[in-house]
Amino acid sequence: MATAASRFGFKSSTSPHHAASAADILKLKKPSKDFLCPNYISNPVQFVEFQIRDMKSNHVFFDVGRPIETLDWTQSNMVDPENMTRTIEYAFPKEILSFESIGTNLVFAIHYFKDKMIKSFDFSFGFCIPNSVNTWENVYKVPKLDEKTIKDMVANPNKTVSDSYYFVNDKLIMHNKAYYTYY
Amino acid sequence: MGLLSILRKLKAREKEMRILILGLDNAGKTTILKCINGEDTSEISPTLGFNIKTLEHNGFKLNIWDVGGQKSIRSYWRNYFEQTDGLVWVVDSADRPDRMEDCRRELAALLQEERLAGATLLIFANKQDLPSARTKEQIAEILKLADIQTHHWHIESCSAVTGDRLLKGMDWIVGDIADRVFMLD
């Protein structure tokens, strides 16, 4: 069984000493300071594409593909080389912060996955067919942010952070980080 | 303690629906899903897995699952039956007669499934934009829908290319599920 959880926040906090299970991760109230699992080379789950769009205008403002083996991660000067492959920096126009709803579309590939499940903290993927390619788009209301917060987020590039955690059999197998800049 | 955990479970599922879209390959399942969601439908390739959309509709959170319809994938359909509130069966109304028979047989088999016993059934007679498309009355007869006693069902003719009547069908299935599942609120 596998689980995925996503955390999105404004400032970093220190991470707990051990946070291996999904239940531990869901207790986190802030982005983790460090990566909470090793950067495994081979992984049963491969992410092949990630897309974000504004639901109102249908404008896709972020689309990253992974045609061969590695994601086209942006080289980061704030991340050490070991974690480069699992860190991404987004730069978005600040209008995104006041969009009503956005869609994030994840295309991921599953290899030799028998009876294994992927789950988010409020969503269950269920069974993944071996050698299948699957997508999940989550259309959600953007939380209402006040003017001051938006200003703050625009003024502080890379201080908005998200953590994505993926579990197989309740064991953390992948942890990706993203940093956001708004302009 | 048992009752309490059941109540908690109900609470967590409140206002959330799981809808499963099935049908033979090339019936238009992914096109329907994308059209409902306001996406471009000009380039759709066969689904070799699933596509899920989590979205809000009439105050409900819908998790809509579109699972590939190719023969090799159909044996995996059963992995997605659990907790399904609504089944959308998509028919290519202009399909060959032998495929229409496959279509009838596959649907009949699904309706025997215990884990789909509580699900509302919507049939989309899709591809009405094609001149050779059968009417929804003809589709209903081929699929022997009148014989269905076990499920709430409804058939809607539609075109996933033009978007015609798709929302009407979705409104019906969401409304029927809401009446059945959330009446106790």
Side-chain angles (χ1 to χ4, degrees):
Chain A
M1 185 168 123
T3 313
S6 221
R7 280 289 181 262
F8 188 84
F10 189 41
K11 288 192 181 97
S12 284
S13 65
T14 40
S15 55
H17 291 295
H18 55 88
S21 78
D24 290 338
I25 296 295
L26 289 175
K27 275 183 219 145
L28 296 180
K29 295 282 184 284
K30 289 175 177 176
S32 74
K33 197 176 179 199
D34 310 303
F35 284 94
L36 304 181
C37 74
N39 194 0
Y40 298 114
I41 305 288
S42 70
N43 219 311
V45 186
Q46 281 183 10
F47 293 91
V48 285
E49 196 185 341
F50 185 61
Q51 196 190 67
I52 307 175
R53 68 186 174 118
D54 171 28
M55 294 307 289
K56 221 173 192 174
S57 64
N58 217 9
H59 173 61
V60 175
F61 45 88
F62 184 79
D63 191 354
V64 60
R66 190 181 197 177
I68 316 158
E69 279 294 301
T70 49
L71 241 180
D72 184 22
W73 301 104
T74 309
Q75 168 111 30
S76 167
N77 50 16
M78 37 187 271
V79 179
D80 61 90
E82 200 225 322
N83 290 323
M84 219 178 66
T85 55
R86 52 177 172 172
T87 307
I88 193 161
E89 288 176 21
Y90 295 110
F92 294 134
K94 61 178 178 298
E95 286 74 30
I96 187 181
L97 295 172
S98 43
F99 282 156
E100 239 171 64
S101 54
I102 61 169
T104 58
N105 194 4
L106 192 63
V107 181
F108 60 96
I110 306 288
H111 294 291
Y112 43 84
F113 242 52
K114 280 185 182 170
D115 265 357
K116 287 180 185 171
M117 278 216 316
I118 295 187
K119 194 183 169 189
S120 92
F121 58 93
D122 62 353
F123 182 81
S124 171
F125 276 95
F127 174 84
C128 295
I129 298 165
N131 300 310
S132 63
V133 176
N134 308 286
T135 75
W136 174 42
E137 179 171 49
N138 188 12
V139 177
Y140 56 95
K141 296 263 189 298
V142 178
K144 271 260 174 279
L145 298 168
D146 59 58
E147 275 308 307
K148 194 183 162 293
T149 311
I150 290 180
K151 236 180 184 165
D152 217 11
M153 288 169 81
V154 174
N156 291 283
N158 290 327
K159 283 285 186 285
T160 306
V161 186
S162 73
D163 283 301
S164 298
Y165 302 97
Y166 304 91
F167 305 86
V168 171
N169 295 323
D170 207 24
K171 185 177 166 250
L172 190 62
I173 56 146
M174 201 188 323
H175 177 186
N176 294 335
K177 266 184 178 298
Y179 295 90
Y180 302 80
T181 297
Y182 304 97
Y183 56 87
Chain B
M1 176 234 166
L3 182 62
L4 196 65
S5 64
I6 290 166
L7 286 174
R8 278 209 196 95
K9 211 170 174 184
L10 278 175
K11 189 83 185 159
R13 262 176 67 78
E14 214 174 22
K15 304 286 180 197
E16 210 173 311
M17 294 181 188
R18 181 180 160 108
I19 295 177
L20 183 59
I21 305 183
L22 295 177
L24 300 191
D25 47 300
N26 203 39
K29 298 177 290 298
T30 305
T31 309
I32 285 176
L33 182 66
K34 292 204 162 194
C35 192
I36 290 169
N37 204 23
E39 285 175 76
D40 177 34
T41 55
S42 53
E43 281 178 59
I44 310 268
S45 44
T47 304
L48 303 171
F50 59 67
N51 300 301
I52 312 164
K53 304 281 181 197
T54 302
L55 48 96
E56 275 178 33
H57 181 81
N58 294 349
F60 293 100
K61 186 175 162 193
L62 308 187
N63 290 312
I64 309 181
W65 295 64
D66 150 38
V67 186
Q70 309 220 347
K71 217 167 184 177
S72 56
I73 297 180
R74 285 178 215 162
S75 58
Y76 294 110
W77 282 357
R78 60 189 169 78
N79 293 290
Y80 301 95
F81 293 163
E82 208 73 57
Q83 295 201 315
T84 293
D85 300 302
L87 174 65
V88 178
W89 182 254
V90 183
V91 183
D92 172 355
S93 303
D95 217 343
R96 299 190 316 256
D98 61 310
R99 295 255 306 167
M100 292 307 296
E101 174 53 25
D102 285 351
C103 179
R104 185 200 62 75
R105 206 188 49 241
E106 294 282 6
L107 176 61
L110 287 180
L111 297 181
Q112 301 290 319
E113 287 287 343
E114 204 174 312
R115 282 171 300 165
L116 290 175
T120 295
L121 172 66
L122 170 70
I123 298 103
F124 269 134
N126 191 27
K127 306 202 186 181
Q128 291 297 322
D129 51 298
L130 298 179
S132 58
R134 298 170 183 84
T135 64
K136 69 173 180 182
E137 288 76 17
Q138 290 172 309
I139 298 291
E141 203 180 316
I142 293 170
L143 299 182
K144 297 190 166 64
L145 298 182
D147 294 347
I148 298 174
Q149 306 288 330
T150 46
H151 297 70
H152 286 195
W153 65 270
H154 175 77
I155 184 164
E156 193 71 64
S157 52
C158 75
S159 164
V161 174
T162 65
D164 189 38
R165 300 180 84 82
L166 283 182
L167 283 181
K168 203 164 177 285
M170 293 310 291
D171 280 342
W172 177 82
I173 196 167
V174 169
D176 188 79
I177 296 167
D179 287 349
R180 281 192 305 108
V181 181
F182 300 111
M183 225 168 57
L184 297 173
D185 281 6

